Amino acid sequence: MAGTGSATRRRVRARVTGTVQGVGFRPFVFRLATELGLEGWVLNDTRGVIVEAEGEPGAIARFLVRIEGEAPPLAAVDLVEPTDLEPRREGRGFEILASDAGGEAAASVSPDSATCLDCLAELLDPGDRRHRYPFINCTNCGPRFTIVEGVPYDRPLTTMSGFAMCARCLAEYEDPLDRRFHAQPNACPECGPRARFVGAGEEDLGAGALDAVAAAAAALCEGAVLAVKGIGGYHLACRADDERAVAALRSRKHREEKPFALLVADLAAAAELVEIGEEEARLLSSRARPIVLARRLADAPVAMAVAPRAGELGVMLPYSPLHHLLVGDLGVPLVLTSGNVSDEPIAYGDADARERLAPIADAFLLHDRPIHTRTDDSVARVVELPAGRRPLVLRRSRGHVPDSLSLSIGDAPPILACGAELKNTFCLAKDGWAWVGHHVGDLENYETLRSFTDGIAHFEALFAVTPEVVAHDLHPDYLSTRYALDREGVRHLGVQHQHAHLAACLAEHGESGPALGAIFDGTGLGVDGTVWGGELLLGDLVDYERVAHLRTVPLPGGAAAIREPWRMACAWLCEALGSEPELPAALTGSVDPRAWRNCLRRSEEHTSELQSPMYLV
């Protein structure tokens, strides 16, 4: 029977929610309770962590405060909810109990986290049993989200379930005082995943080398283009100072001008490429390890083909032991770009990667730890604001997902927001919390659509969200809209594209409006059936008024005008001159005169006005 305890003894049971699984939270609770002389237990369940503790009332009070205030580095405690129980005086000490898998899943899963300093020291220590082991990790670092198949976060529900721990790894895993206690990806060279360096036909190319990573680094040094299996998918890599290798990668990947990301060994190496202030250094070194866009140094020692005509470079530091070893062995910056052909999703399954990347890569650096969820690298930059310089995340993916976001809204049914077409990201929300999915990409082909639908299904299972409302873009031909409208038993909510941007900006800054928003973001279907792009909207989180916009003109070729901005030049010249303009001299040689004349005819044949997006040409 519940009670208030006594003057000399108090017993509580506390529900702890947040990111508290797979981050060393239970051993932290164990050590804290032991230090304070408490008895009781701690366990994981599908909603987070449950703690029961009994002891001197003052010690219990300090225990509850320190659970939140001194949580491990990767933990994020949202709430500690204690309930007093009748003291029992069992005298059993404090225990870590087996996870309780019953009930509805609602536990937060930790993002993948960069290699910690302790593991890095072991990785580089010739006397350590994990010296140069590409999959070293502990409760403070390593893969999380990309290997999780379900909750609670225990090894049998990860892609590590197929690797049985050796006696020494198991001893670490079962020791509450060890930093690898219940580190689910725990492994070593004797029992864990292994790397291989192979050719296109899977022939072993690592013979005679120190290890597979060293062999791969030697091939990179000679100018090879490699496919490298990482934490959330495959990358394509070559040495960044080799003009021929970078040009070969660009040609094979069909990526004409878009800059490549660069991997460097440390902050000192990054400072040789880009301008780095305190905020950039902090962002580069964060546990998320994003690609950071920063101003390029004039004498940056990289090939011009890395980022043609770009004033910035995207730089990141190693976030896995394999990457630490690879760039360390190479000794120069490394191009590390998504493992795909342009416009396709990143490859993450081994068979799919071999099929799709074989025409691009000269060889493959592989490993046998399965990836459950593909996850691209995150991208960020530091921006100047009146209040000072601060980081801005441009692409929220590896290292950030699936961290939850608190919503300042009242009671609302569970929601799925499907996003638009380009740079798609989905979101699930329930009980005042939102889980923004990882970067999916442009929903323009079957592979990307499958990544989108698989990601939604995975999040719904992980966070026990059964949507009652599905929000979607108004455009009926977007694949995200079609998916939304195909979902049955839900209420569908169409959202105008530009208003979504206004509402998102308000929500990001904790405002509800009304506000005047200038939205110049490509195209979006308007409520009047025309294409909008270049709007002044007066509105709030719920509604808006379109108070001004760019003049409407034909959109010759529809979406082709987005890929070929000269079509919009043609449409605007027709509108301005009221006649059929000749091909401008500035476009001679870049635009086929026949295509120009066809565009003129298409502009004249338009029977409805379509507003042009604001593209600068």
Side-chain angles (χ1 to χ4, degrees), residues 167-193:
R168 285 191 288 181
C169 284
L170 187 60
E172 295 168 335
Y173 182 85
E174 293 179 340
D175 182 358
L177 300 180
D178 195 289
R179 83 173 197 278
R180 292 191 168 93
F181 175 77
H182 280 229
Q184 306 308 335
N186 188 34
C188 73
E190 181 181 335
C191 63

Side-chain angles (χ1 to χ4, degrees), residues 571-596:
W572 280 107
L573 283 171
C574 286
E575 175 70 17
L577 301 176
S579 61
E580 293 189 5
E582 294 296 324
L583 177 66
L587 296 180
T588 301
S590 301
V591 177
D592 187 332
R594 291 172 298 178
W596 181 264

